Amino acid sequence: MPMSQARRMNLIALAFAVTALVVFVAFHFLPWSPLWKGWVVWEDIFGDLADGGLEEPPLVLAAASLLTESLLIVLLPFLLRMTWSSRLLWWTVTLVSGIATCALAGIILYFILLDPYTRAEAGPAVYCLVAAPVLNFISLLFVRREAPEPHAFPSPESH
């Protein structure tokens, strides 16, 4: 039986979602700067949350976006099959992912990569943290609704 166009697109979406997860995991182990690895971002965020130090709106937006994107990136490879059949779930996940991706990538690009000093210090983890949500969002754009498979009911004569 030949593979349908929708099935092919959904497999591409799954490949992008898994790639986003791999890039997100790599972010934790690659250097953020010459002094520390990417996982230290979590330590800073939770330290600031515990101390009540996230008072500036860009930091609150960055922390909320990172937490949202982390959840989406980790769960999407497992939720993707449900988005193939539910347009409401697809729209919800896609809108949340799009908003969080724009916020997180925008803040990282603005505060880190547009400043010449911090751009020179930025390691590969910074770029992975921008790439993972973008790949995750792209995976959602590849999702196509698959026609439900017809269920074969047993004939009355077979009983």
Side-chain angles (χ1 to χ4, degrees), residues 5 8 23 38 47 49 61 68 71-72 76 83 96 100 106 114 117 119 123 125 135-136 147 153:
Q5 179 71 20
R8 209 170 300 123
V23 170
L49 283 173
L61 185 61
T68 303
L71 185 68
L72 287 172
L76 190 63
T83 64
V96 169
L114 291 181
Y117 175 73
R119 184 176 56 238
L135 289 168
N136 196 55
F153 292 107

Side-chain angles (χ1 to χ4, degrees), residues 63-135:
S65 299
L66 179 60
L67 292 171
T68 303
E69 275 301 329
S70 299
L71 185 68
L72 287 172
I73 290 169
V74 170
L75 292 179
L76 190 63
F78 306 103
L79 287 176
L80 211 52
R81 187 155 179 85
M82 286 188 283
T83 64
W84 297 348
S85 57
S86 171
R87 291 321 273 171
L88 179 62
L89 179 63
W90 179 84
W91 272 106
T92 303
V93 173
T94 302
L95 287 175
V96 169
S97 178
I99 292 168
T101 298
C102 288
L104 183 62
I107 287 172
I108 290 172
L109 291 173
Y110 182 76
F111 284 110
I112 294 176
L113 299 179
L114 291 181
D115 181 22
Y117 175 73
T118 56
R119 184 176 56 238
E121 295 286 316
V126 176
Y127 300 102
C128 285
L129 190 56
V130 173
V134 171
L135 289 168

Side-chain angles (χ1 to χ4, degrees), residues 27 30-34 36-38 41 108 112 121-126 129:
F27 141 75
L30 293 172
W32 181 271
S33 71
W36 44 288
K37 303 273 188 210
V41 170
I108 290 172
I112 294 176
E121 295 286 316
V126 176
L129 190 56

